[in-house]
Amino acid sequence: MSIPRARTSLLAIALTVAATTMTIPSAAAAGRDRDHVKIQRVLDQAVANGGGPGIVADLREDRRPPWFGTAGVADLETGRKRRPGEHFRIGSFTKAFTGTVVLQLAAEGKLTLADTVAKWLPGVVEEYLGADGTKITIRQLLNHTSGLPDAIPGQETPRPEEPGKRFIYSKVNYNLAGLIVEKATGSTLAKEIERRIARPLHLAGTYLSGSDKTLPDPHARHYSKFTETGQETQVHDVTEIDVSWAGAAGGMVSTTADLHRFLGALLGGRLLPPAQQREMFTTVSTEGADWVPNTRYGLGVYSQTLPCGVTLWGGGGFIQGSTSYAMGDRQGTHTLVSNINGDWNDFLKTFTQLFETTFCKKTADALDKVR
Protein backbone atom coordinates (compact mmCIF):
# COMPACT_ATOMS: atom_id res chain seq x y z
CA MET A 1 0.00 0.00 0.00
CA SER A 2 1.38 3.42 -0.97
CA ILE A 3 1.43 6.39 1.44
CA PRO A 4 0.29 9.78 0.05
CA ARG A 5 3.08 12.35 -0.47
CA ALA A 6 1.73 14.72 2.23
CA ARG A 7 1.67 11.94 4.77
CA THR A 8 5.17 10.87 3.70
CA SER A 9 6.46 14.40 4.39
CA LEU A 10 4.77 14.52 7.79
CA LEU A 11 6.16 11.09 8.64
CA ALA A 12 9.67 12.17 7.64
CA ILE A 13 9.43 15.29 9.80
CA ALA A 14 8.17 13.28 12.77
CA LEU A 15 10.99 10.75 12.42
CA THR A 16 13.57 13.55 12.15
CA VAL A 17 12.24 15.26 15.29
CA ALA A 18 12.18 11.96 17.16
CA ALA A 19 15.76 11.16 16.14
CA THR A 20 16.94 14.63 17.17
CA THR A 21 15.16 14.35 20.52
CA MET A 22 16.86 11.03 21.17
CA THR A 23 20.37 12.19 20.28
CA ILE A 24 20.47 15.46 22.28
CA PRO A 25 20.45 13.81 25.73
CA SER A 26 23.15 11.40 24.59
CA ALA A 27 25.37 14.23 23.43
CA ALA A 28 24.77 16.16 26.64
CA ALA A 29 25.52 13.07 28.70
CA ALA A 30 28.73 12.51 26.79
CA GLY A 31 29.75 16.11 27.47
CA ARG A 32 29.07 15.71 31.17
CA ASP A 33 31.06 12.48 31.20
CA ARG A 34 34.03 14.31 29.67
CA ASP A 35 33.71 17.04 32.31
CA HIS A 36 33.64 14.43 35.06
CA VAL A 37 36.77 12.77 33.65
CA LYS A 38 38.56 16.14 33.93
CA ILE A 39 37.42 16.55 37.53
CA GLN A 40 38.55 13.03 38.32
CA ARG A 41 41.96 13.84 36.89
CA VAL A 42 42.30 16.75 39.36
CA LEU A 43 41.35 14.42 42.22
CA ASP A 44 43.95 11.87 41.18
CA GLN A 45 46.64 14.54 40.97
CA ALA A 46 45.71 15.88 44.41
CA VAL A 47 46.76 12.69 46.19
CA ALA A 48 49.58 11.64 43.86
CA ASN A 49 53.07 11.32 45.36
CA GLY A 50 51.87 11.60 48.95
CA GLY A 51 49.88 14.80 48.38
CA GLY A 52 47.22 13.59 50.80
CA PRO A 53 45.52 10.42 52.01
CA GLY A 54 42.27 10.75 50.06
CA ILE A 55 39.89 13.25 48.49
CA VAL A 56 36.20 13.31 47.55
CA ALA A 57 34.26 15.67 45.30
CA ASP A 58 30.47 15.80 45.28
CA LEU A 59 28.94 17.79 42.41
CA ARG A 60 25.31 18.89 42.21
CA GLU A 61 23.79 20.69 39.23
CA ASP A 62 20.18 21.73 38.80
CA ARG A 63 18.13 19.08 36.94
CA ARG A 64 21.15 16.80 36.47
CA PRO A 65 22.07 13.62 38.34
CA PRO A 66 24.63 14.17 41.14
CA TRP A 67 28.21 13.04 40.54
CA PHE A 68 30.61 11.75 43.19
CA GLY A 69 34.33 11.18 42.63
CA THR A 70 37.12 9.93 44.88
CA ALA A 71 40.85 9.36 44.83
CA GLY A 72 43.24 7.96 47.40
CA VAL A 73 42.17 6.20 50.57
CA ALA A 74 40.08 6.66 53.69
CA ASP A 75 42.44 4.51 55.77
CA LEU A 76 46.20 4.38 55.24
CA GLU A 77 46.50 1.06 57.08
CA THR A 78 43.79 -0.93 55.33
CA GLY A 79 43.74 0.90 51.99
CA ARG A 80 39.98 1.30 52.26
CA LYS A 81 38.69 3.72 49.63
CA ARG A 82 36.74 6.87 50.35
CA ARG A 83 33.00 6.74 49.68
CA PRO A 84 29.76 8.77 49.79
CA GLY A 85 28.16 9.42 53.16
CA GLU A 86 31.37 9.83 55.15
CA HIS A 87 31.40 12.19 58.12
CA PHE A 88 34.29 14.62 58.46
CA ARG A 89 35.24 17.73 60.42
CA ILE A 90 34.39 20.82 58.40
CA GLY A 91 36.58 23.32 60.25
CA SER A 92 35.89 26.96 59.43
CA PHE A 93 32.83 26.29 57.29
CA THR A 94 31.20 26.09 60.73
CA LYS A 95 31.20 29.90 60.57
CA ALA A 96 28.46 29.81 57.91
CA PHE A 97 26.18 27.96 60.36
CA THR A 98 27.02 30.29 63.24
CA GLY A 99 26.49 33.35 61.06
CA THR A 100 23.12 32.01 59.91
CA VAL A 101 21.93 31.53 63.51
CA VAL A 102 23.01 35.06 64.47
CA LEU A 103 21.18 36.53 61.47
CA GLN A 104 18.04 34.56 62.28
CA LEU A 105 18.13 36.01 65.80
CA ALA A 106 18.50 39.48 64.27
CA ALA A 107 15.44 38.81 62.09
CA GLU A 108 13.50 37.84 65.22
CA GLY A 109 14.51 41.05 67.00
CA LYS A 110 16.45 39.22 69.71
CA LEU A 111 19.62 41.16 68.87
CA THR A 112 20.91 43.59 66.24
CA LEU A 113 24.11 43.51 64.23
CA ALA A 114 24.90 46.96 65.64
CA ASP A 115 24.84 45.65 69.22
CA THR A 116 28.22 45.84 70.90
CA VAL A 117 30.06 42.89 72.34
CA ALA A 118 29.99 44.69 75.69
CA LYS A 119 26.18 44.66 75.69
CA TRP A 120 26.10 40.86 75.58
CA LEU A 121 29.47 39.88 77.07
CA PRO A 122 30.46 42.71 79.41
CA GLY A 123 34.13 42.68 80.35
CA VAL A 124 35.03 39.56 78.35
CA VAL A 125 37.23 41.03 75.59
CA GLU A 126 38.64 43.53 78.07
CA GLU A 127 39.78 40.79 80.44
CA TYR A 128 41.01 38.22 77.98
CA LEU A 129 42.14 40.24 74.95
CA GLY A 130 42.78 43.76 76.18
CA ALA A 131 40.24 45.23 73.75
CA ASP A 132 37.30 47.57 74.24
CA GLY A 133 34.03 45.66 73.86
CA THR A 134 32.01 48.87 73.71
CA LYS A 135 33.57 49.64 70.30
CA ILE A 136 33.13 46.22 68.66
CA THR A 137 29.80 45.29 67.04
CA ILE A 138 28.34 41.89 66.25
CA ARG A 139 28.58 42.75 62.55
CA GLN A 140 32.31 43.34 62.96
CA LEU A 141 32.69 39.96 64.63
CA LEU A 142 30.97 38.24 61.72
CA ASN A 143 32.91 39.99 58.93
CA HIS A 144 36.25 39.85 60.79
CA THR A 145 36.73 43.62 61.07
CA SER A 146 36.62 43.67 64.90
CA GLY A 147 40.38 44.19 65.17
CA LEU A 148 40.61 41.12 67.41
CA PRO A 149 43.54 38.85 66.58
CA ASP A 150 43.39 35.14 65.86
CA ALA A 151 44.25 32.86 68.77
CA ILE A 152 46.33 29.80 67.91
CA PRO A 153 46.95 27.14 70.60
CA GLY A 154 50.51 27.28 71.88
CA GLN A 155 51.28 30.63 70.26
CA GLU A 156 51.32 34.13 71.71
CA THR A 157 48.21 36.12 70.83
CA PRO A 158 48.93 39.48 69.12
CA ARG A 159 47.52 42.71 70.50
CA PRO A 160 44.09 43.82 69.21
CA GLU A 161 43.79 46.58 66.63
CA GLU A 162 41.26 49.35 66.19
CA PRO A 163 37.83 47.97 65.14
CA GLY A 164 36.56 48.59 61.63
CA LYS A 165 39.91 49.32 60.02
CA ARG A 166 40.75 46.08 58.23
CA PHE A 167 39.95 42.38 57.76
CA ILE A 168 41.73 40.06 60.23
CA TYR A 169 40.55 36.46 60.00
CA SER A 170 40.08 35.26 63.58
CA LYS A 171 38.46 32.29 65.29
CA VAL A 172 37.99 34.54 68.33
CA ASN A 173 35.32 36.53 66.47
CA TYR A 174 33.08 33.52 65.94
CA ASN A 175 33.63 32.00 69.35
CA LEU A 176 32.43 35.32 70.79
CA ALA A 177 29.47 35.26 68.38
CA GLY A 178 28.64 31.76 69.62
CA LEU A 179 28.64 32.99 73.22
CA ILE A 180 26.31 35.83 72.22
CA VAL A 181 23.91 33.32 70.64
CA GLU A 182 23.82 31.44 73.91
CA LYS A 183 23.21 34.62 75.90
CA ALA A 184 20.41 35.73 73.57
CA THR A 185 18.65 32.36 73.51
CA GLY A 186 19.38 30.81 76.90
CA SER A 187 20.30 27.68 74.97
CA THR A 188 23.53 26.21 73.58
CA LEU A 189 24.81 27.00 70.11
CA ALA A 190 24.76 23.28 69.32
CA LYS A 191 21.04 23.08 70.11
CA GLU A 192 20.28 26.25 68.13
CA ILE A 193 22.09 24.90 65.06
CA GLU A 194 20.19 21.64 65.41
CA ARG A 195 16.81 23.35 65.92
CA ARG A 196 17.14 26.10 63.34
CA ILE A 197 19.18 24.49 60.56
CA ALA A 198 19.96 20.79 60.84
CA ARG A 199 16.48 19.56 61.73
CA PRO A 200 14.48 21.68 59.23
CA LEU A 201 16.87 20.78 56.40
CA HIS A 202 17.10 17.10 57.47
CA LEU A 203 20.87 17.26 57.91
CA ALA A 204 21.20 13.95 59.73
CA GLY A 205 25.01 13.96 59.75
CA THR A 206 25.61 17.59 60.78
CA TYR A 207 26.26 18.80 64.32
CA LEU A 208 28.55 20.84 66.55
CA SER A 209 30.74 18.21 68.17
CA GLY A 210 31.77 19.97 71.38
CA SER A 211 34.26 17.82 73.30
CA ASP A 212 33.15 14.59 71.60
CA LYS A 213 36.32 13.08 70.10
CA THR A 214 34.58 10.48 67.95
CA LEU A 215 33.18 10.62 64.42
CA PRO A 216 30.03 8.73 63.40
CA ASP A 217 30.29 5.86 60.93
CA PRO A 218 30.97 5.91 58.10
CA HIS A 219 34.02 8.18 58.24
CA ALA A 220 37.46 8.43 56.76
CA ARG A 221 40.41 8.40 59.12
CA HIS A 222 41.79 11.93 59.60
CA TYR A 223 45.57 12.36 59.26
CA SER A 224 47.87 15.22 60.17
CA LYS A 225 51.47 16.30 59.63
CA PHE A 226 51.21 18.86 62.42
CA THR A 227 51.03 18.97 66.19
CA GLU A 228 48.16 20.76 67.93
CA THR A 229 50.34 23.89 68.09
CA GLY A 230 51.09 23.77 64.36
CA GLN A 231 54.60 22.32 64.45
CA GLU A 232 55.41 19.97 61.56
CA THR A 233 55.83 16.32 62.46
CA GLN A 234 55.33 12.86 60.93
CA VAL A 235 51.95 11.81 59.56
CA HIS A 236 49.76 10.58 62.40
CA ASP A 237 46.11 9.66 62.93
CA VAL A 238 44.02 12.44 64.53
CA THR A 239 40.58 10.98 63.98
CA GLU A 240 39.80 10.97 67.69
CA ILE A 241 40.75 14.44 68.94
CA ASP A 242 39.03 17.11 71.02
CA VAL A 243 38.31 20.16 68.84
CA SER A 244 36.08 21.92 71.34
CA TRP A 245 38.52 24.86 71.26
CA ALA A 246 37.35 25.52 67.68
CA GLY A 247 33.72 25.77 68.82
CA ALA A 248 31.52 28.20 66.88
CA ALA A 249 34.45 28.98 64.59
CA GLY A 250 35.32 25.47 63.43
CA GLY A 251 34.00 22.62 65.55
CA MET A 252 31.31 21.06 63.36
CA VAL A 253 31.00 17.66 61.65
CA SER A 254 29.07 17.08 58.42
CA THR A 255 28.87 15.14 55.14
CA THR A 256 29.08 16.24 51.51
CA ALA A 257 25.35 15.66 50.97
CA ASP A 258 24.41 17.69 54.05
CA LEU A 259 26.70 20.56 53.04
CA HIS A 260 25.10 20.63 49.60
CA ARG A 261 21.66 20.87 51.15
CA PHE A 262 22.74 23.60 53.56
CA LEU A 263 24.65 25.63 50.96
CA GLY A 264 21.82 25.38 48.44
CA ALA A 265 19.29 26.57 51.02
CA LEU A 266 21.55 29.39 52.19
CA LEU A 267 22.42 30.70 48.73
CA GLY A 268 18.84 30.25 47.59
CA GLY A 269 17.46 32.46 50.38
CA ARG A 270 15.55 29.71 52.18
CA LEU A 271 17.19 30.20 55.60
CA LEU A 272 17.07 33.99 56.00
CA PRO A 273 14.57 36.77 55.29
CA PRO A 274 15.60 39.19 52.49
CA ALA A 275 17.05 41.87 54.80
CA GLN A 276 19.29 39.41 56.62
CA GLN A 277 20.17 37.69 53.33
CA ARG A 278 21.48 41.03 52.05
CA GLU A 279 23.49 41.47 55.23
CA MET A 280 25.09 38.03 54.92
CA PHE A 281 26.21 38.68 51.35
CA THR A 282 27.44 42.24 51.91
CA THR A 283 31.21 41.80 51.80
CA VAL A 284 34.41 43.48 52.91
CA SER A 285 37.76 43.28 51.15
CA THR A 286 40.29 40.70 52.34
CA GLU A 287 43.06 42.30 50.31
CA GLY A 288 46.31 42.66 52.26
CA ALA A 289 45.39 39.92 54.72
CA ASP A 290 47.30 36.65 54.89
CA TRP A 291 44.30 34.73 53.69
CA VAL A 292 42.61 33.20 50.64
CA PRO A 293 43.42 35.28 47.51
CA ASN A 294 40.72 36.90 45.36
CA THR A 295 38.06 36.81 48.06
CA ARG A 296 35.63 39.14 49.81
CA TYR A 297 34.13 38.20 53.17
CA GLY A 298 30.47 38.46 54.16
CA LEU A 299 28.89 37.33 57.43
CA GLY A 300 30.03 33.71 57.66
CA VAL A 301 30.44 33.16 53.93
CA TYR A 302 32.77 34.60 51.32
CA SER A 303 33.02 35.08 47.59
CA GLN A 304 35.98 33.86 45.59
CA THR A 305 36.71 34.92 42.03
CA LEU A 306 38.43 32.21 40.04
CA PRO A 307 41.21 33.03 37.54
CA CYS A 308 38.67 32.62 34.71
CA GLY A 309 36.53 35.42 36.18
CA VAL A 310 33.72 33.26 37.61
CA THR A 311 32.73 34.21 41.17
CA LEU A 312 31.61 31.50 43.59
CA TRP A 313 30.09 31.71 47.07
CA GLY A 314 30.44 29.54 50.15
CA GLY A 315 33.42 28.75 52.30
CA GLY A 316 36.24 26.44 53.25
CA GLY A 317 37.52 24.78 56.35
CA PHE A 318 40.96 23.75 57.59
CA ILE A 319 41.35 21.89 60.87
CA GLN A 320 43.85 19.32 62.03
CA GLY A 321 43.42 16.26 59.81
CA SER A 322 40.73 17.62 57.49
CA THR A 323 40.37 20.28 54.77
CA SER A 324 37.09 21.07 53.03
CA TYR A 325 35.59 23.44 50.48
CA ALA A 326 31.93 24.07 49.67
CA MET A 327 31.19 26.63 46.96
CA GLY A 328 28.58 27.33 44.32
CA ASP A 329 26.96 29.89 42.08
CA ARG A 330 25.07 32.74 43.73
CA GLN A 331 21.68 31.03 43.26
CA GLY A 332 22.87 27.74 44.78
CA THR A 333 21.85 25.70 41.72
CA HIS A 334 25.39 24.51 40.86
CA THR A 335 27.50 23.53 43.88
CA LEU A 336 30.59 21.46 44.59
CA VAL A 337 31.70 20.10 47.97
CA SER A 338 35.13 18.55 48.46
CA ASN A 339 37.07 17.12 51.41
CA ILE A 340 40.63 15.90 51.93
CA ASN A 341 41.16 13.69 55.00
CA GLY A 342 44.56 15.28 55.66
CA ASP A 343 46.06 18.70 56.27
CA TRP A 344 49.34 18.85 54.36
CA ASN A 345 48.06 19.05 50.79
CA ASP A 346 48.53 22.37 48.99
CA PHE A 347 44.79 22.62 49.37
CA LEU A 348 44.30 26.14 48.02
CA LYS A 349 45.94 25.07 44.77
CA THR A 350 44.02 21.80 44.71
CA PHE A 351 40.63 23.36 45.38
CA THR A 352 41.24 26.21 42.93
CA GLN A 353 42.05 23.69 40.18
CA LEU A 354 39.05 21.59 41.16
CA PHE A 355 36.62 24.50 41.07
CA GLU A 356 38.17 25.93 37.90
CA THR A 357 37.74 22.58 36.18
CA THR A 358 34.13 22.41 37.36
CA PHE A 359 32.97 25.98 36.77
CA CYS A 360 35.27 27.35 34.04
CA LYS A 361 34.77 25.35 30.86
CA LYS A 362 37.39 27.13 28.74
CA THR A 363 39.96 26.88 31.51
CA ALA A 364 39.18 23.21 32.02
CA ASP A 365 39.64 22.54 28.30
CA ALA A 366 42.97 24.40 28.32
CA LEU A 367 44.18 22.51 31.39
CA ASP A 368 43.13 19.26 29.74
CA LYS A 369 45.28 20.03 26.68
CA VAL A 370 48.30 20.79 28.88
CA ARG A 371 47.91 17.49 30.70
Side-chain angles (χ1 to χ4, degrees):
M1 182 178 67
S2 62
I3 301 175
R5 183 180 299 274
R7 291 187 180 180
T8 304
S9 300
L10 290 173
L11 181 60
I13 292 171
L15 291 172
T16 301
V17 171
T20 304
T21 303
M22 288 187 290
T23 57
I24 287 175
S26 299
R32 288 197 297 273
D33 288 344
R34 285 193 296 272
D35 292 341
H36 297 161
V37 167
K38 294 172 186 176
I39 297 171
Q40 183 63 53
R41 193 172 291 125
V42 176
L43 299 180
D44 293 337
Q45 289 177 340
V47 298
N49 303 317
I55 185 171
V56 297
D58 191 339
L59 174 64
R60 307 292 173 94
E61 297 178 80
D62 192 29
R63 300 185 184 88
R64 292 181 178 179
W67 180 84
F68 191 91
T70 75
V73 299
D75 190 320
L76 289 173
E77 289 190 6
T78 67
R80 173 171 55 88
K81 302 298 183 183
R82 298 207 60 176
R83 57 174 173 150
E86 290 173 339
H87 299 79
F88 51 86
R89 294 191 174 91
I90 67 172
S92 289
F93 196 55
T94 300
K95 293 179 179 66
F97 289 83
T98 302
T100 300
V101 172
V102 172
L103 286 165
Q104 288 183 349
L105 291 173
E108 295 162 10
K110 294 180 179 176
L111 53 78
T112 77
L113 297 181
D115 287 350
T116 65
V117 174
K119 175 179 178 178
W120 292 97
L121 306 172
V124 171
V125 296
E126 287 81 359
E127 179 179 355
Y128 292 100
L129 296 164
D132 186 349
T134 66
K135 296 181 179 179
I136 300 171
T137 67
I138 293 176
R139 181 184 285 104
Q140 289 170 336
L141 293 179
L142 297 184
N143 67 15
H144 295 293
T145 62
S146 68
L148 297 175
D150 198 10
I152 301 173
Q155 298 183 22
E156 185 177 349
T157 302
R159 292 183 61 81
E161 298 183 10
E162 184 180 351
K165 291 297 183 181
R166 70 184 185 103
F167 173 90
I168 304 173
Y169 190 76
S170 173
K171 292 181 287 294
V172 171
N173 288 321
Y174 274 77
N175 283 329
L176 289 170
L179 292 175
I180 291 172
V181 167
E182 295 183 345
K183 277 273 193 174
T185 62
S187 181
T188 66
L189 177 62
K191 289 180 179 178
E192 290 301 307
I193 289 173
E194 165 65 21
R195 182 173 73 86
R196 294 169 174 273
I197 302 173
R199 198 182 306 153
L201 294 180
H202 306 290
L203 310 182
T206 299
Y207 62 96
L208 184 62
S209 62
S211 58
D212 184 358
K213 297 181 179 181
T214 64
L215 287 173
D217 288 327
H219 65 263
R221 305 301 298 178
H222 286 27
Y223 297 97
S224 180
K225 271 192 176 181
F226 302 95
T227 66
E228 289 186 6
T229 58
Q231 303 301 311
E232 193 164 347
T233 185
Q234 293 184 339
V235 175
H236 58 291
D237 192 317
V238 293
T239 309
E240 284 86 30
I241 59 170
D242 182 352
V243 296
S244 57
W245 56 268
M252 288 185 67
V253 171
S254 192
T255 68
T256 60
D258 277 6
L259 292 184
H260 272 295
R261 195 172 294 120
F262 168 69
L263 185 59
L266 188 61
L267 293 172
R270 298 191 296 278
L271 285 173
L272 295 171
Q276 284 68 40
Q277 186 81 349
R278 287 192 296 273
E279 290 279 10
M280 173 165 269
F281 292 94
T282 298
T283 61
V284 298
S285 173
T286 66
E287 189 175 354
D290 183 18
W291 204 62
V292 183
N294 305 310
T295 56
R296 292 184 61 88
Y297 205 92
L299 304 185
V301 297
Y302 57 87
S303 66
Q304 181 171 2
T305 301
L306 299 175
C308 69
V310 170
T311 297
L312 301 178
W313 290 86
F318 175 91
I319 197 165
Q320 194 179 17
S322 180
T323 51
S324 308
Y325 234 59
M327 303 286 277
D329 61 26
R330 183 61 184 80
Q331 294 72 38
T333 58
H334 186 184
T335 54
L336 178 67
V337 177
S338 183
N339 171 261
I340 302 170
N341 56 320
D343 57 19
W344 63 90
N345 184 280
D346 186 354
F347 62 92
L348 283 179
K349 178 181 177 182
T350 292
F351 289 137
T352 298
Q353 289 181 342
L354 185 60
F355 281 81
E356 272 195 280
T357 302
T358 305
F359 290 91
C360 306
K361 183 169 178 53
K362 290 182 179 179
T363 303
D365 291 342
L367 289 171
D368 193 48
K369 289 179 181 178
V370 172
R371 297 184 189 112

